[in-house]
Amino acid sequence: MLWLMVTGLAGWVSLRLCGWEPKFFWSQLVSFTPYAAALSLVPLAFAVVLRAGPLLVAALIVTCAFAVTVLPRVVPESNPPAGGPVLRVMAVNLLHSSVLPPVLVDAVARDRPDVLHLLEFTNLMRERVDRLGLGRLLPYKIVLPGTNSEGAAIYSRYPLRPADTPIAAPAFKDSPRHLPAVVTLPGGQEVELVAVHACAPSEGWRTACWAPSIRALPPAGGRLRVLAGDFNSTLDHVVLRDLIATGYRDAADVTGKGLSMTWPYYEQPRLFPKVAIDHVLADRRIAIRSFQTLRLPRTDHRATLTELVLP
């Protein structure tokens, strides 16, 4: 039984390391790689107790392979020199705008983000938060109208304008969409923002919208850019790692909080394993001072709050 466990885990970590993502349920299963890494300690421990030499060697190799993929997420990284403006970015998936508007406005007043990305933002939610004074806290906004999962918005303390290059909408009905914008900070420095909402790999073989929706996001380079929101992907998905490799850094990973799980936290059993699919990707020239997740009732996602320092 221990050999079967080691063999299965060896297959798992081999797929993860080689980057091949077969189109069955792997696009979902690979999200749970941190749990598989923890599970790899079980046969290793039994091999030590049983003094089973060959099993010990095999289990140790598998555990080390998992460690290579997972442990860097809990080790903080250094930052590039940065002495420019500070930008606090909050992003939250509202679960079809199920979050109570007063709760959202209170969270903004308490945590004082400079920029707020709202996903699954409906027209009714827009009316309610505006009546409650969200516009007084963050007076500038760009809204992408929609119902259920399609709508999005960016609210800002500083002036906003539409991005120079829009992001093409997925060629699938009722799919979520990304919202790009440009914020002008005091002193005139501009940063491009993208409120990210990628399609979900709801079934392993139905990834026709999921991977292209992430590949549609702009690569790093040129103007400073920050992508924040619901990527529906973890650091164990090669499509997200490829995007990061263009010149971004993941805020949770950089701050040693790469195992901060963000979904699902609502209408699921309490012990259901959670995964990290909400991210903040910042241009590698930007220093990442802090990252944290926040609980908002009635949504299945944790909000993210990140403090960035621009060069």
Side-chain angles (χ1 to χ4, degrees), residues 12 28-36 73 233-237 258-279 293 295 299-302:
W12 184 312
Q28 298 169 319
L29 195 62
V30 71
S31 302
F32 300 95
T33 294
Y35 300 96
R73 304 177 204 182
S233 302
T234 72
L235 294 176
D236 293 299
H237 287 103
L259 296 181
S260 298
M261 304 306 178
T262 64
W263 179 88
Y265 283 95
Y266 187 60
E267 295 183 345
Q268 290 287 353
R270 184 177 296 274
L271 297 180
F272 188 89
K274 310 299 189 289
V275 293
I277 61 173
D278 298 85
H279 303 271
T293 61
R295 177 182 177 272
T299 177
D300 53 347
H301 288 257
R302 289 290 192 252

Side-chain angles (χ1 to χ4, degrees), residues 10-35:
W12 184 312
V13 76
S14 297
L15 284 175
R16 166 59 179 82
L17 287 173
C18 75
W20 181 50
E21 296 185 342
K23 294 183 178 180
F24 51 104
F25 287 107
W26 182 246
S27 56
Q28 298 169 319
L29 195 62
V30 71
S31 302
F32 300 95
T33 294
Y35 300 96

